[in-house]
Amino acid sequence: MKVLQKRNVSLKNYSTFRVGGKAKVIYFPQNINELLSLKKYVFHKSPFILGNGSNVLFSDAGYRGVIICMKRFNSIKLNKDKVLCEAGTSLFQLCNFCAENNLSGLEKLYGIPGSVGGAIKMNAGAYGCEICDFVSYILVFKDGKLMRRKPEYFGYRKGPLQDNEILISAEFELKKGKKEEIVKKQNDIFKKRLIAQPYNLPSAGSVFKRGNGYFPAELIEKWGLKGCVEGGAEISEVHAGFIVNKNHASAKDIVSLIRKIEDKASIEGYHFEREIIILDAD
Ligand SMILES: Cc1cc2nc3c(=O)[nH]c(=O)nc-3n(C[C@H](O)[C@H](O)[C@H](O)COP(=O)(O)OP(=O)(O)OC[C@H]3O[C@@H](n4cnc5c(N)ncnc54)[C@H](O)[C@@H]3O)c2cc1C
């Protein structure tokens, strides 16, 4: 069985930061048989599992390990009143499908540019709503085996997946609602995002997690770092929790701004925990 693969491709096309050197190889399986057929050595090398790349920063030197991109696992269907959705489905598709089927619950997540797999891994959330609260079952792949289980032990930006587990699909349990009301809520949330976030420039969302009783973005602004520039990267003028790729930024530019913020936080007595995942080339 031949699994679609791309070699020596620019990672700029696989991350919403639009940054990164070349990937040695990216595999794009589209079903479990294809995933299983990837030779064992691929899994021995701890491949990096990629969704939509909206929470990762690839290195300027690229990535020399193996990447498995889950985007082609993208089926979505209704099973009685539950939504069964594969990991590569985008959150936009999932939310639109829910609206079409009069299912309410995920509206506040509308506009997060991730896949279902990345969102569950990160327990993505917004405006007081977190995705894992609506997940009744997950199907995961690890060590060549499939396992279906309830999602347990998840919290703020930490989903129920263990190390090296690949999310294949998830089942969502939602409430009955009215399509028009669901669509309106989604559109209202999306409008809010467009005002509050630098949606028109490449980024990976909030760089840091919320702290215990504080918001990094507010402190970054208070410390006068909003708008700070390094090469082509900028601490966003719109939302100081975002770093944006304003003008052909390199990963190095973005990392310099992250370190600048972390150094200042440390001087002020804070420890900012990173939300985005920074990958070295090896
Ligand atoms: C403009 C913008 C706004 C954003 N707003 C929000 C927001 O409001 N709230 C929020 O929480 N986040 C937000 N984000 C961040 C990001 O969109 C989310 O974290 C999203 O859920 C990541 O999904 P992804 O598919 O892009 O994951 P990726 O970036 O591809 O990967 C993220 C992590 O998930 C893992 N992963 C991906 N797929 C799988 C899988 N199938 N199985 C196992 N592991 C997997 C990866 O290995 C990696 O560790 C925003 C980002 C942007 C660019």
Side-chain angles (χ1 to χ4, degrees):
M1 185 173 290
K2 188 102 176 103
V3 179
L4 177 69
Q5 56 172 276
K6 294 186 183 174
R7 287 180 181 269
N8 262 324
V9 283
S10 170
L11 285 162
K12 287 189 174 130
N13 301 325
Y14 295 94
S15 109
T16 56
F17 254 136
R18 301 280 170 251
V19 159
K22 287 192 172 173
K24 188 175 165 204
V25 56
I26 310 182
Y27 290 98
F28 297 86
Q30 63 174 339
N31 54 45
I32 289 168
N33 283 340
E34 288 199 2
L35 190 62
L36 277 167
S37 78
L38 287 176
K39 290 191 187 80
K40 262 199 170 155
Y41 79 92
V42 168
F43 287 102
H44 282 159
K45 287 182 177 165
S46 299
F48 180 72
I49 309 303
L50 183 65
N52 198 40
S54 65
N55 207 43
V56 293
L57 175 61
F58 290 113
S59 148
D60 297 319
Y63 192 70
R64 286 190 274 273
V66 171
I67 296 177
I68 297 179
C69 178
M70 295 297 285
K71 271 192 182 173
R72 294 173 81 213
F73 276 78
N74 60 5
S75 85
I76 179 162
K77 62 182 183 198
L78 211 54
N79 184 6
K80 293 189 181 136
D81 52 350
K82 309 232 170 87
V83 176
L84 195 61
C85 180
E86 285 190 319
T89 311
S90 74
L91 282 182
F92 279 108
Q93 273 175 280
L94 171 61
C95 290
N96 289 336
F97 183 88
C98 291
E100 275 306 310
N101 289 284
N102 302 300
L103 292 169
S104 168
L106 300 177
E107 296 88 313
K108 289 180 174 168
L109 305 183
Y110 196 73
I112 298 179
S115 67
V116 166
I120 291 181
K121 172 79 180 183
M122 304 302 301
N123 191 14
Y127 305 105
C129 165
E130 288 180 331
I131 193 164
C132 291
D133 287 332
F134 299 90
V135 177
S136 42
Y137 275 96
I138 51 176
L139 181 67
V140 298
F141 180 85
K142 188 178 180 180
D143 299 333
K145 290 191 199 97
L146 283 169
M147 201 177 13
R148 185 175 182 268
R149 65 164 197 265
K150 290 186 177 191
E152 286 165 341
Y153 313 116
F154 57 84
Y156 172 68
R157 295 299 177 272
K158 169 119 190 54
L161 301 179
Q162 288 155 20
D163 287 350
N164 301 322
E165 278 187 342
I166 303 178
L167 185 89
I168 301 296
S169 62
E171 183 186 270
F172 289 86
E173 210 173 309
L174 300 149
K175 285 186 293 206
K176 277 267 162 225
K178 287 196 183 125
K179 180 180 170 183
E180 310 76 65
E181 287 172 16
I182 297 167
V183 170
K184 183 177 180 319
K185 272 193 208 163
Q186 288 177 343
N187 289 341
D188 289 349
I189 283 287
F190 198 54
K191 278 184 207 148
K192 263 193 183 178
R193 274 184 183 278
L194 292 179
I195 294 169
Q197 298 177 357
Y199 219 82
N200 58 333
L201 287 170
S203 80
S206 294
V207 175
F208 300 104
K209 293 184 185 177
R210 198 176 62 211
N212 197 358
Y214 63 86
F215 292 96
E218 285 177 6
L219 293 173
I220 294 167
E221 190 169 349
K222 186 174 134 196
W223 297 331
L225 295 175
K226 194 177 188 175
C228 209
V229 169
E230 185 69 48
E234 181 191 87
I235 300 175
S236 170
E237 290 275 13
V238 178
H239 185 309
F242 283 50
I243 292 179
V244 289
N245 177 356
K246 213 166 176 191
N247 187 17
H248 306 287
S250 62
K252 199 167 157 241
D253 297 337
I254 294 168
V255 169
S256 299
L257 286 178
I258 293 175
R259 296 224 167 99
K260 190 172 195 139
I261 294 169
E262 288 173 343
D263 289 348
K264 178 66 179 163
S266 161
I267 291 166
E268 298 288 339
Y270 292 87
H271 172 72
F272 282 4
E273 198 183 331
R274 292 178 191 169
E275 180 168 330
I276 63 170
I277 294 148
I278 302 180
L279 285 172
D280 291 331
D282 298 299

mmCIF file of all heavy atoms in Angstrom, residues 16 48-56 70 87 91 111-115 117-119 121-126 157 161 165-167 193 197 199 203-206 242 275 277, ligand 1:
data_model
loop_
_atom_site.group_PDB
_atom_site.id
_atom_site.type_symbol
_atom_site.label_atom_id
_atom_site.label_comp_id
_atom_site.label_asym_id
_atom_site.label_seq_id
_atom_site.Cartn_x
_atom_site.Cartn_y
_atom_site.Cartn_z
ATOM 1 N N THR A 16 0.439 27.820 10.166
ATOM 2 C CA THR A 16 -0.257 29.109 9.977
ATOM 3 C C THR A 16 0.665 30.296 10.255
ATOM 4 O O THR A 16 0.307 31.426 9.950
ATOM 5 C CB THR A 16 -1.517 29.197 10.862
ATOM 6 O OG1 THR A 16 -1.113 28.975 12.229
ATOM 7 C CG2 THR A 16 -2.568 28.178 10.469
ATOM 8 N N PHE A 48 6.342 13.263 14.281
ATOM 9 C CA PHE A 48 5.553 14.397 14.759
ATOM 10 C C PHE A 48 4.202 14.335 14.053
ATOM 11 O O PHE A 48 4.135 14.230 12.823
ATOM 12 C CB PHE A 48 6.253 15.730 14.457
ATOM 13 C CG PHE A 48 5.434 16.898 14.942
ATOM 14 C CD1 PHE A 48 5.321 17.167 16.299
ATOM 15 C CD2 PHE A 48 4.730 17.693 14.043
ATOM 16 C CE1 PHE A 48 4.521 18.212 16.761
ATOM 17 C CE2 PHE A 48 3.936 18.746 14.499
ATOM 18 C CZ PHE A 48 3.836 19.006 15.867
ATOM 19 N N ILE A 49 3.136 14.409 14.846
ATOM 20 C CA ILE A 49 1.787 14.333 14.274
ATOM 21 C C ILE A 49 1.295 15.764 14.032
ATOM 22 O O ILE A 49 1.256 16.580 14.946
ATOM 23 C CB ILE A 49 0.807 13.595 15.229
ATOM 24 C CG1 ILE A 49 1.404 12.254 15.674
ATOM 25 C CG2 ILE A 49 -0.550 13.398 14.559
ATOM 26 C CD1 ILE A 49 1.767 11.316 14.543
ATOM 27 N N LEU A 50 0.952 16.019 12.783
ATOM 28 C CA LEU A 50 0.555 17.379 12.392
ATOM 29 C C LEU A 50 -0.921 17.429 12.019
ATOM 30 O O LEU A 50 -1.420 16.549 11.311
ATOM 31 C CB LEU A 50 1.417 17.801 11.185
ATOM 32 C CG LEU A 50 1.233 19.203 10.641
ATOM 33 C CD1 LEU A 50 1.655 20.252 11.665
ATOM 34 C CD2 LEU A 50 2.045 19.378 9.349
ATOM 35 N N GLY A 51 -1.575 18.461 12.553
ATOM 36 C CA GLY A 51 -2.959 18.715 12.142
ATOM 37 C C GLY A 51 -2.928 19.842 11.130
ATOM 38 O O GLY A 51 -2.376 19.701 10.036
ATOM 39 N N ASN A 52 -3.453 20.999 11.525
ATOM 40 C CA ASN A 52 -3.420 22.148 10.606
ATOM 41 C C ASN A 52 -2.233 23.062 10.858
ATOM 42 O O ASN A 52 -2.139 24.129 10.254
ATOM 43 C CB ASN A 52 -4.741 22.928 10.698
ATOM 44 C CG ASN A 52 -4.929 23.816 9.501
ATOM 45 O OD1 ASN A 52 -4.619 23.419 8.376
ATOM 46 N ND2 ASN A 52 -5.390 25.036 9.723
ATOM 47 N N GLY A 53 -1.366 22.705 11.780
ATOM 48 C CA GLY A 53 -0.168 23.523 12.030
ATOM 49 C C GLY A 53 -0.485 24.913 12.564
ATOM 50 O O GLY A 53 0.283 25.852 12.355
ATOM 51 N N SER A 54 -1.584 25.052 13.314
ATOM 52 C CA SER A 54 -1.937 26.398 13.809
ATOM 53 C C SER A 54 -1.490 26.618 15.244
ATOM 54 O O SER A 54 -1.833 27.630 15.847
ATOM 55 C CB SER A 54 -3.444 26.647 13.672
ATOM 56 O OG SER A 54 -4.173 25.771 14.494
ATOM 57 N N ASN A 55 -0.714 25.658 15.767
ATOM 58 C CA ASN A 55 -0.174 25.864 17.118
ATOM 59 C C ASN A 55 1.301 25.486 17.170
ATOM 60 O O ASN A 55 1.825 25.212 18.236
ATOM 61 C CB ASN A 55 -0.983 25.019 18.127
ATOM 62 C CG ASN A 55 -0.949 25.633 19.503
ATOM 63 O OD1 ASN A 55 -1.088 26.830 19.653
ATOM 64 N ND2 ASN A 55 -0.710 24.813 20.510
ATOM 65 N N VAL A 56 1.955 25.461 16.009
ATOM 66 C CA VAL A 56 3.355 25.040 15.980
ATOM 67 C C VAL A 56 4.235 26.090 15.291
ATOM 68 O O VAL A 56 3.786 26.835 14.426
ATOM 69 C CB VAL A 56 3.561 23.694 15.238
ATOM 70 C CG1 VAL A 56 2.930 22.548 15.976
ATOM 71 C CG2 VAL A 56 3.063 23.738 13.819
ATOM 72 N N MET A 70 -2.352 14.492 9.473
ATOM 73 C CA MET A 70 -3.634 13.775 9.589
ATOM 74 C C MET A 70 -4.755 14.417 8.781
ATOM 75 O O MET A 70 -5.909 13.993 8.874
ATOM 76 C CB MET A 70 -4.031 13.720 11.075
ATOM 77 C CG MET A 70 -3.097 12.921 11.937
ATOM 78 S SD MET A 70 -3.046 11.185 11.453
ATOM 79 C CE MET A 70 -4.622 10.612 12.112
ATOM 80 N N ALA A 87 -10.007 12.939 12.808
ATOM 81 C CA ALA A 87 -9.096 13.916 13.423
ATOM 82 C C ALA A 87 -8.663 15.063 12.507
ATOM 83 O O ALA A 87 -8.371 16.154 12.980
ATOM 84 C CB ALA A 87 -7.854 13.194 13.930
ATOM 85 N N LEU A 91 -12.028 22.487 12.439
ATOM 86 C CA LEU A 91 -13.068 22.899 13.386
ATOM 87 C C LEU A 91 -14.170 23.662 12.667
ATOM 88 O O LEU A 91 -15.328 23.600 13.059
ATOM 89 C CB LEU A 91 -12.469 23.777 14.491
ATOM 90 C CG LEU A 91 -11.714 23.053 15.597
ATOM 91 C CD1 LEU A 91 -11.227 24.031 16.631
ATOM 92 C CD2 LEU A 91 -12.587 22.010 16.266
ATOM 93 N N GLY A 111 -14.023 29.581 14.446
ATOM 94 C CA GLY A 111 -12.956 30.527 14.080
ATOM 95 C C GLY A 111 -11.581 30.070 14.538
ATOM 96 O O GLY A 111 -10.573 30.630 14.102
ATOM 97 N N ILE A 112 -11.510 29.069 15.401
ATOM 98 C CA ILE A 112 -10.182 28.528 15.769
ATOM 99 C C ILE A 112 -9.702 27.719 14.555
ATOM 100 O O ILE A 112 -10.382 26.787 14.118
ATOM 101 C CB ILE A 112 -10.251 27.624 17.024
ATOM 102 C CG1 ILE A 112 -10.737 28.428 18.237
ATOM 103 C CG2 ILE A 112 -8.881 27.003 17.311
ATOM 104 C CD1 ILE A 112 -10.853 27.621 19.536
ATOM 105 N N PRO A 113 -8.532 28.081 14.002
ATOM 106 C CA PRO A 113 -8.160 27.492 12.712
ATOM 107 C C PRO A 113 -7.466 26.132 12.799
ATOM 108 O O PRO A 113 -6.537 25.858 12.045
ATOM 109 C CB PRO A 113 -7.226 28.557 12.131
ATOM 110 C CG PRO A 113 -6.587 29.161 13.328
ATOM 111 C CD PRO A 113 -7.592 29.121 14.439
ATOM 112 N N GLY A 114 -7.903 25.286 13.721
ATOM 113 C CA GLY A 114 -7.226 23.999 13.903
ATOM 114 C C GLY A 114 -8.036 22.823 13.380
ATOM 115 O O GLY A 114 -9.175 22.977 12.936
ATOM 116 N N SER A 115 -7.427 21.645 13.450
ATOM 117 C CA SER A 115 -8.134 20.402 13.127
ATOM 118 C C SER A 115 -8.697 19.846 14.439
ATOM 119 O O SER A 115 -8.282 20.252 15.533
ATOM 120 C CB SER A 115 -7.149 19.399 12.522
ATOM 121 O OG SER A 115 -6.211 18.993 13.513
ATOM 122 N N GLY A 117 -8.104 16.933 15.657
ATOM 123 C CA GLY A 117 -7.011 16.254 16.381
ATOM 124 C C GLY A 117 -6.182 17.229 17.193
ATOM 125 O O GLY A 117 -5.919 17.005 18.384
ATOM 126 N N GLY A 118 -5.778 18.331 16.556
ATOM 127 C CA GLY A 118 -4.974 19.341 17.264
ATOM 128 C C GLY A 118 -5.782 19.980 18.379
ATOM 129 O O GLY A 118 -5.265 20.266 19.468
ATOM 130 N N ALA A 119 -7.063 20.190 18.120
ATOM 131 C CA ALA A 119 -7.912 20.849 19.124
ATOM 132 C C ALA A 119 -8.098 19.950 20.348
ATOM 133 O O ALA A 119 -8.083 20.428 21.486
ATOM 134 C CB ALA A 119 -9.257 21.213 18.506
ATOM 135 N N LYS A 121 -6.000 17.477 21.264
ATOM 136 C CA LYS A 121 -4.683 17.379 21.917
ATOM 137 C C LYS A 121 -4.460 18.578 22.855
ATOM 138 O O LYS A 121 -3.945 18.449 23.957
ATOM 139 C CB LYS A 121 -3.588 17.338 20.839
ATOM 140 C CG LYS A 121 -2.172 17.432 21.346
ATOM 141 C CD LYS A 121 -1.692 16.106 21.884
ATOM 142 C CE LYS A 121 -0.266 16.217 22.398
ATOM 143 N NZ LYS A 121 0.242 14.941 22.859
ATOM 144 N N MET A 122 -4.838 19.768 22.363
ATOM 145 C CA MET A 122 -4.582 21.004 23.115
ATOM 146 C C MET A 122 -5.743 21.372 24.042
ATOM 147 O O MET A 122 -5.691 22.367 24.735
ATOM 148 C CB MET A 122 -4.370 22.190 22.155
ATOM 149 C CG MET A 122 -3.279 22.044 21.122
ATOM 150 S SD MET A 122 -1.659 21.748 21.841
ATOM 151 C CE MET A 122 -1.464 23.206 22.860
ATOM 152 N N ASN A 123 -6.841 20.621 23.970
ATOM 153 C CA ASN A 123 -8.108 21.038 24.590
ATOM 154 C C ASN A 123 -8.355 22.518 24.286
ATOM 155 O O ASN A 123 -8.457 23.361 25.182
ATOM 156 C CB ASN A 123 -8.122 20.772 26.097
ATOM 157 C CG ASN A 123 -9.527 20.940 26.681
ATOM 158 O OD1 ASN A 123 -10.521 20.990 25.952
ATOM 159 N ND2 ASN A 123 -9.613 21.047 27.997
ATOM 160 N N ALA A 124 -8.458 22.787 22.990
ATOM 161 C CA ALA A 124 -8.646 24.174 22.537
ATOM 162 C C ALA A 124 -9.922 24.751 23.138
ATOM 163 O O ALA A 124 -10.907 24.030 23.341
ATOM 164 C CB ALA A 124 -8.731 24.203 21.004
ATOM 165 N N GLY A 125 -9.855 26.028 23.416
ATOM 166 C CA GLY A 125 -11.023 26.657 24.017
ATOM 167 C C GLY A 125 -11.070 28.143 23.744
ATOM 168 O O GLY A 125 -10.073 28.747 23.336
ATOM 169 N N ALA A 126 -12.245 28.696 23.948
ATOM 170 C CA ALA A 126 -12.411 30.143 23.773
ATOM 171 C C ALA A 126 -13.700 30.588 24.451
ATOM 172 O O ALA A 126 -14.678 29.840 24.467
ATOM 173 C CB ALA A 126 -12.483 30.484 22.284
ATOM 174 N N ARG A 157 -5.942 23.697 28.272
ATOM 175 C CA ARG A 157 -4.985 23.498 27.152
ATOM 176 C C ARG A 157 -4.196 22.179 27.271
ATOM 177 O O ARG A 157 -3.064 22.075 26.827
ATOM 178 C CB ARG A 157 -3.996 24.677 27.057
ATOM 179 C CG ARG A 157 -4.638 25.985 26.704
ATOM 180 C CD ARG A 157 -5.342 25.982 25.355
ATOM 181 N NE ARG A 157 -5.993 27.253 25.128
ATOM 182 C CZ ARG A 157 -7.248 27.527 25.524
ATOM 183 N NH1 ARG A 157 -7.992 26.593 26.120
ATOM 184 N NH2 ARG A 157 -7.771 28.706 25.296
ATOM 185 N N LEU A 161 -5.041 13.079 25.423
ATOM 186 C CA LEU A 161 -4.127 12.164 24.715
ATOM 187 C C LEU A 161 -2.828 12.009 25.481
ATOM 188 O O LEU A 161 -2.283 12.982 26.004
ATOM 189 C CB LEU A 161 -3.808 12.695 23.312
ATOM 190 C CG LEU A 161 -4.989 12.912 22.359
ATOM 191 C CD1 LEU A 161 -4.498 13.474 21.026
ATOM 192 C CD2 LEU A 161 -5.728 11.610 22.126
ATOM 193 N N GLU A 165 0.286 9.081 21.412
ATOM 194 C CA GLU A 165 -1.028 8.623 20.943
ATOM 195 C C GLU A 165 -1.457 9.504 19.775
ATOM 196 O O GLU A 165 -1.300 10.735 19.827
ATOM 197 C CB GLU A 165 -2.079 8.739 22.051
ATOM 198 C CG GLU A 165 -2.060 7.577 23.004
ATOM 199 C CD GLU A 165 -3.211 7.603 24.009
ATOM 200 O OE1 GLU A 165 -3.839 8.662 24.216
ATOM 201 O OE2 GLU A 165 -3.467 6.564 24.614
ATOM 202 N N ILE A 166 -2.010 8.866 18.755
ATOM 203 C CA ILE A 166 -2.527 9.628 17.612
ATOM 204 C C ILE A 166 -4.041 9.570 17.672
ATOM 205 O O ILE A 166 -4.625 8.487 17.779
ATOM 206 C CB ILE A 166 -2.051 9.010 16.267
ATOM 207 C CG1 ILE A 166 -0.519 8.949 16.226
ATOM 208 C CG2 ILE A 166 -2.602 9.804 15.094
ATOM 209 C CD1 ILE A 166 0.037 8.314 14.961
ATOM 210 N N LEU A 167 -4.667 10.723 17.640
ATOM 211 C CA LEU A 167 -6.124 10.726 17.608
ATOM 212 C C LEU A 167 -6.586 10.390 16.193
ATOM 213 O O LEU A 167 -6.145 11.016 15.228
ATOM 214 C CB LEU A 167 -6.698 12.088 18.022
ATOM 215 C CG LEU A 167 -8.222 12.026 18.112
ATOM 216 C CD1 LEU A 167 -8.674 11.598 19.489
ATOM 217 C CD2 LEU A 167 -8.880 13.320 17.730
ATOM 218 N N ARG A 193 -13.802 37.772 17.178
ATOM 219 C CA ARG A 193 -12.411 37.360 16.918
ATOM 220 C C ARG A 193 -11.728 38.320 15.948
ATOM 221 O O ARG A 193 -10.569 38.689 16.140
ATOM 222 C CB ARG A 193 -12.380 35.983 16.250
ATOM 223 C CG ARG A 193 -12.420 34.875 17.171
ATOM 224 C CD ARG A 193 -12.293 33.567 16.433
ATOM 225 N NE ARG A 193 -12.414 32.536 17.410
ATOM 226 C CZ ARG A 193 -11.414 32.117 18.180
ATOM 227 N NH1 ARG A 193 -10.205 32.572 18.024
ATOM 228 N NH2 ARG A 193 -11.612 31.215 19.095
ATOM 229 N N GLN A 197 -8.466 39.925 17.519
ATOM 230 C CA GLN A 197 -7.243 39.185 17.176
ATOM 231 C C GLN A 197 -6.710 39.597 15.801
ATOM 232 O O GLN A 197 -7.482 39.975 14.932
ATOM 233 C CB GLN A 197 -7.541 37.676 17.160
ATOM 234 C CG GLN A 197 -7.984 37.154 18.506
ATOM 235 C CD GLN A 197 -8.342 35.668 18.461
ATOM 236 O OE1 GLN A 197 -8.309 35.031 17.421
ATOM 237 N NE2 GLN A 197 -8.696 35.131 19.613
ATOM 238 N N TYR A 199 -6.249 38.556 12.876
ATOM 239 C CA TYR A 199 -6.614 37.406 12.061
ATOM 240 C C TYR A 199 -6.074 37.501 10.631
ATOM 241 O O TYR A 199 -5.984 36.508 9.925
ATOM 242 C CB TYR A 199 -8.146 37.318 12.039
ATOM 243 C CG TYR A 199 -8.661 35.907 12.119
ATOM 244 C CD1 TYR A 199 -8.774 35.254 13.337
ATOM 245 C CD2 TYR A 199 -9.020 35.226 10.966
ATOM 246 C CE1 TYR A 199 -9.235 33.947 13.405
ATOM 247 C CE2 TYR A 199 -9.489 33.919 11.028
ATOM 248 C CZ TYR A 199 -9.591 33.288 12.248
ATOM 249 O OH TYR A 199 -10.044 31.989 12.301
ATOM 250 N N SER A 203 -0.031 33.740 12.157
ATOM 251 C CA SER A 203 0.361 33.593 13.570
ATOM 252 C C SER A 203 0.032 32.166 13.995
ATOM 253 O O SER A 203 -0.448 31.379 13.179
ATOM 254 C CB SER A 203 -0.428 34.578 14.451
ATOM 255 O OG SER A 203 -1.728 34.075 14.727
ATOM 256 N N ALA A 204 0.247 31.880 15.271
ATOM 257 C CA ALA A 204 -0.193 30.581 15.796
ATOM 258 C C ALA A 204 -1.057 30.814 17.039
ATOM 259 O O ALA A 204 -1.035 30.041 17.986
ATOM 260 C CB ALA A 204 1.000 29.685 16.110
ATOM 261 N N GLY A 205 -1.784 31.918 17.030
ATOM 262 C CA GLY A 205 -2.664 32.218 18.164
ATOM 263 C C GLY A 205 -1.869 32.708 19.365
ATOM 264 O O GLY A 205 -0.760 33.243 19.233
ATOM 265 N N SER A 206 -2.421 32.516 20.551
ATOM 266 C CA SER A 206 -1.746 32.999 21.767
ATOM 267 C C SER A 206 -0.456 32.220 21.974
ATOM 268 O O SER A 206 -0.452 30.991 21.935
ATOM 269 C CB SER A 206 -2.628 32.765 22.994
ATOM 270 O OG SER A 206 -3.771 33.553 22.888
ATOM 271 N N PHE A 242 -0.373 37.621 20.888
ATOM 272 C CA PHE A 242 -0.027 37.002 19.606
ATOM 273 C C PHE A 242 1.290 37.577 19.095
ATOM 274 O O PHE A 242 1.539 38.778 19.231
ATOM 275 C CB PHE A 242 -1.076 37.333 18.530
ATOM 276 C CG PHE A 242 -2.374 36.572 18.608
ATOM 277 C CD1 PHE A 242 -3.095 36.480 19.785
ATOM 278 C CD2 PHE A 242 -2.906 35.971 17.476
ATOM 279 C CE1 PHE A 242 -4.315 35.799 19.840
ATOM 280 C CE2 PHE A 242 -4.117 35.299 17.514
ATOM 281 C CZ PHE A 242 -4.823 35.213 18.692
ATOM 282 N N GLU A 275 2.254 28.199 25.051
ATOM 283 C CA GLU A 275 1.144 27.390 24.516
ATOM 284 C C GLU A 275 1.554 26.811 23.158
ATOM 285 O O GLU A 275 1.224 25.682 22.829
ATOM 286 C CB GLU A 275 -0.105 28.272 24.359
ATOM 287 C CG GLU A 275 -1.293 27.505 23.817
ATOM 288 C CD GLU A 275 -2.613 28.269 23.920
ATOM 289 O OE1 GLU A 275 -2.783 29.083 24.851
ATOM 290 O OE2 GLU A 275 -3.469 28.047 23.054
ATOM 291 N N ILE A 277 3.929 25.186 20.239
ATOM 292 C CA ILE A 277 4.953 24.136 20.270
ATOM 293 C C ILE A 277 6.072 24.532 19.314
ATOM 294 O O ILE A 277 5.821 24.768 18.129
ATOM 295 C CB ILE A 277 4.317 22.793 19.859
ATOM 296 C CG1 ILE A 277 3.297 22.403 20.927
ATOM 297 C CG2 ILE A 277 5.355 21.701 19.673
ATOM 298 C CD1 ILE A 277 2.133 21.645 20.406
HETATM 299 C C1 LIG B 1 -5.553 33.107 14.525
HETATM 300 C C2 LIG B 1 -5.509 31.987 15.546
HETATM 301 C C3 LIG B 1 -6.441 31.971 16.577
HETATM 302 C C4 LIG B 1 -6.403 30.948 17.532
HETATM 303 N N1 LIG B 1 -7.319 30.965 18.541
HETATM 304 C C5 LIG B 1 -7.316 29.966 19.450
HETATM 305 C C6 LIG B 1 -8.293 29.949 20.508
HETATM 306 O O1 LIG B 1 -9.164 30.801 20.597
HETATM 307 N N2 LIG B 1 -8.228 28.938 21.402
HETATM 308 C C7 LIG B 1 -7.297 27.943 21.325
HETATM 309 O O2 LIG B 1 -7.311 27.039 22.168
HETATM 310 N N3 LIG B 1 -6.369 27.942 20.349
HETATM 311 C C8 LIG B 1 -6.360 28.913 19.406
HETATM 312 N N4 LIG B 1 -5.408 28.915 18.409
HETATM 313 C C9 LIG B 1 -4.349 27.873 18.399
HETATM 314 C C10 LIG B 1 -4.679 26.623 17.542
HETATM 315 O O3 LIG B 1 -5.558 26.949 16.470
HETATM 316 C C11 LIG B 1 -5.295 25.510 18.369
HETATM 317 O O4 LIG B 1 -4.412 25.047 19.370
HETATM 318 C C12 LIG B 1 -5.686 24.303 17.484
HETATM 319 O O5 LIG B 1 -6.519 23.461 18.201
HETATM 320 C C13 LIG B 1 -4.466 23.510 16.976
HETATM 321 O O6 LIG B 1 -4.943 22.566 16.017
HETATM 322 P P1 LIG B 1 -4.031 22.115 14.782
HETATM 323 O O7 LIG B 1 -4.758 21.062 14.045
HETATM 324 O O8 LIG B 1 -3.608 23.279 13.998
HETATM 325 O O9 LIG B 1 -2.822 21.468 15.563
HETATM 326 P P2 LIG B 1 -1.266 21.495 15.182
HETATM 327 O O10 LIG B 1 -0.756 22.877 15.326
HETATM 328 O O11 LIG B 1 -1.044 20.807 13.882
HETATM 329 O O12 LIG B 1 -0.678 20.592 16.365
HETATM 330 C C14 LIG B 1 -0.833 21.014 17.707
HETATM 331 C C15 LIG B 1 -0.531 19.819 18.615
HETATM 332 O O13 LIG B 1 -1.503 18.807 18.411
HETATM 333 C C16 LIG B 1 -0.884 17.583 18.025
HETATM 334 N N5 LIG B 1 -1.792 16.889 17.096
HETATM 335 C C17 LIG B 1 -2.368 17.381 15.977
HETATM 336 N N6 LIG B 1 -3.189 16.446 15.435
HETATM 337 C C18 LIG B 1 -3.093 15.346 16.210
HETATM 338 C C19 LIG B 1 -3.671 14.042 16.175
HETATM 339 N N7 LIG B 1 -4.540 13.663 15.221
HETATM 340 N N8 LIG B 1 -3.341 13.157 17.144
HETATM 341 C C20 LIG B 1 -2.457 13.501 18.121
HETATM 342 N N9 LIG B 1 -1.879 14.708 18.219
HETATM 343 C C21 LIG B 1 -2.209 15.626 17.272
HETATM 344 C C22 LIG B 1 0.441 17.994 17.408
HETATM 345 O O14 LIG B 1 1.384 16.940 17.461
HETATM 346 C C23 LIG B 1 0.812 19.157 18.307
HETATM 347 O O15 LIG B 1 1.348 18.654 19.526
HETATM 348 C C24 LIG B 1 -5.424 29.920 17.434
HETATM 349 C C25 LIG B 1 -4.495 29.939 16.379
HETATM 350 C C26 LIG B 1 -4.550 30.958 15.439
HETATM 351 C C27 LIG B 1 -3.566 30.938 14.298
#
